[in-house]
Structure formats: structure tokens, C-alpha cells
Amino acid sequence: MSDTPETAAPAAAGQIVPFPADFRIDEIATNGTTIHVRSGGQGPAVVLLHGYGETGDMWGAMAAALAPRYTVVVPDLRGMGLSAKPPGGYDKKTQAGDVAGVLDALKIEKAALVTHDIGNMVGFAFAAVYRDRVTKCVLIDAPLPGVGPWEEILKNPLLWHFRFGGPDMERLVEGRERIYLDRFWNEFSAHPSHFGEAARAHYAALYALPGAMHAGFSQFAAFDQDAVDNAALLAADGKLSVPVLALGGETSFGAAMADVMRFAATDVTGGVVPGSGHWIMEENPGATIALVVPFLDAP
């Protein structure tokens, strides 16, 4: 682990929001890889997990809102952002072990989870495997492999990228990462202009790093194994019993996000981020924070 102050990208048009100046960066070696982690604040721990098309940088505004009364931990997922890009381990149960290792290194026993997209899948696996380490879960705008209407969700033509990958596809997008990612940012936004140019350039550069697109494709390629693992975890130990807040973007999963989570948890509260598609922290960060913080604050 290093002990280096966080150097955040400057805010631009409300898109890339810097982390608080006193946040630190650690490179935490765990579970056969190295995870890039920002952390700061004080109080009970909250782990923020990002999804595909972004990195932990998406959570700057959320981290700033939580830091006065929570210890905030923000990893880049395995293979994404500034974390190492190993050849394997992209099933979400393995990545749950990455999260456990990060918390162990930071000497955090228990945490709440706030997750988005692929982060939902990693967070759910963590909550299902390490049930005594999770206090609450917020899952935002993405399904869980093998849970509830998963097979129907897979039929949505907008989700063709779930089956897109492999070396030929990597060659097709090499040097064209921005073109590939713009498709996600445009089609999954209520208003594409709300995912600003500064954020697009920032993330495209990170996904153009060596091995980054391979790792991203590997996240999706692991979904079949994730579905098997999730079914086994639910069969062995039942649904999650911790409080769950399931949020959907108004023009994306919407209220259906709560319907999905009721297949996997017993105490589910639903909510909708208004005026937003999938990219909740770019499209309506204020509303997202206003939904998440009271849920975390509640006894």
C-alpha cells in the first residue's frame, strides 16, 4: 500500500467531480491482483463500486457527500481504471474476494455497499459470500446474472455487448475505444449531452490503456459463470436479509430494479432517479445522492 494524497481530475461541466482533497490513494495487492483504491472520510464504512464505461472516478460527488460522516472506500474493479489487469478472475465471486482483501488491508470489518452496473454484480456476490460484513446495499440500474428475469433481460437487443468479445473484437476496437464507448454513453442516457465531453475523454483514455478492453470484455464473458454462482449462493444461504435500496434510472430500469432485487433479497426498498437513464452520477447526481444518503443514514 502507498500513502499518496488523491490527485483528482478537475471538475468540468459537472462531469468529472474531484474527490475530497484529503482522500488518499492505495495500491492494494490482494487476491492475485492489485486494486487501485481511493479512501477518506470518517465513520462507518461505505464501499462504492462502479460499472463498465466508467471507473471509481464516477463517485467523486457521492464520496464528497458521504465523507463528513462515513469512511468512503472507492476501488477500481479488477482490470478497470488504474487497477491491475490480470488475465483472469473476472467472475464476480472472485472479485468479491478483491473487495474483501481491500477491506482487510484497510482494517475495515463491515461496510455498506453502493453499487452501479457491473458493480451491482460484484457487490451482490460480496454480500452473498461475506454476509456478516455487509450492513446495507444500494444497487443501481443493472440486473444480476441468473437472478429473476435475467434470461428475458438478455433478449434486449440493446444488450448485444453482453456477448461481444474475444481477440478479434479487441482488434476491432483497438484505437477506437472512444467510438465503442460513445455508443454506451449515448444509447443508455436519457439525454446524451448530460454525459459531458470531459468525462468521455477521461474514461476513453483509461479504457485505451493496455489490457483494459480485454478486461472489460472479460467482465461480460464471465456472466454465465456468475449466473451459476449466484444461483448456488441463493440456494445455499437464501436471499440477502440486509436492507436493500434498488434504484433505477427513470428511462432505464426504473421501478423494475426493485422487482429484480426482490428475487435476491427480503428487505427491498425501490426508487427511481428522475430525469436519468443509466448514467445516474452524470445525468442527475443530486437526485442520486438525495436517494442514497437518507437510506444509509437510517437506523
Side-chain angles (χ1 to χ4, degrees):
M1 288 168 46
S2 63
D3 188 2
T4 306
E6 171 75 4
T7 301
Q15 300 301 314
I16 296 294
V17 177
F19 282 80
D22 59 350
F23 269 48
R24 58 183 274 174
I25 293 175
D26 291 306
E27 308 298 336
I28 296 178
T30 184
N31 203 26
T33 191
T34 301
I35 303 297
H36 179 82
V37 183
R38 313 148 193 79
S39 62
Q42 57 186 348
V46 180
V47 178
L48 310 180
L49 299 177
H50 68 91
Y52 187 76
E54 297 178 299
T55 71
D57 292 336
M58 70 172 280
W59 293 119
M62 183 72 74
L66 294 174
R69 56 192 183 280
Y70 292 98
T71 297
V72 183
V73 179
V74 189
D76 284 349
L77 296 179
R78 170 184 292 243
M80 301 171 83
L82 297 180
S83 287
K85 295 163 180 63
Y90 293 96
D91 64 280
K92 310 313 174 286
K93 190 175 177 182
T94 294
Q95 292 186 78
D98 297 348
V99 176
V102 166
L103 294 181
D104 290 345
L106 298 176
K107 297 180 171 54
I108 294 171
E109 181 180 354
K110 294 185 178 184
L113 304 177
V114 178
T115 66
H116 179 246
D117 191 80
I118 297 286
N120 285 3
M121 303 173 188
V122 176
F124 174 76
F126 180 81
V129 174
Y130 302 95
R131 294 186 182 228
D132 60 345
R133 301 192 70 171
V134 177
T135 58
K136 293 182 178 181
C137 295
V138 182
L139 295 97
I140 308 175
D141 210 72
L144 299 176
V147 173
W150 174 250
E151 293 299 327
E152 288 303 310
I153 290 169
L154 288 178
K155 296 175 184 178
N156 186 330
L158 285 175
L159 302 181
W160 59 263
H161 58 280
F162 282 10
R163 298 294 186 187
F164 185 77
D168 292 335
M169 279 59 101
E170 290 173 39
R171 290 170 55 226
L172 285 171
V173 299
E174 184 176 1
R176 304 176 181 89
E177 294 84 5
R178 172 64 187 267
I179 297 171
Y180 184 71
L181 292 166
D182 270 337
R183 176 256 165 180
F184 295 94
W185 299 326
N186 290 337
E187 291 191 7
F188 296 157
S189 294
H191 304 285
S193 62
H194 292 179
F195 202 115
E197 175 57 30
R200 291 173 186 244
H202 178 81
Y203 291 124
L206 288 168
Y207 278 84
L209 293 172
M213 291 303 294
H214 174 81
F217 289 140
S218 296
Q219 295 281 359
F220 297 112
F223 281 178
D224 287 346
Q225 182 61 52
D226 298 335
V228 171
D229 290 341
N230 287 343
L233 289 167
L234 289 170
D237 297 311
K239 297 180 180 181
L240 301 183
S241 59
V242 295
V244 170
L245 176 63
L247 299 177
E250 183 179 11
T251 67
S252 186
F253 272 83
M257 189 65 213
D259 296 334
V260 169
M261 285 311 303
R262 290 188 178 102
F263 287 94
T266 59
D267 182 2
V268 177
T269 301
V272 175
V273 180
S276 180
H278 179 63
W279 310 105
I280 42 86
M281 291 304 296
E282 286 71 32
E283 298 187 72
N284 200 341
T288 306
I289 292 166
L291 288 162
V292 170
V293 172
F295 175 79
L296 295 177
D297 287 348

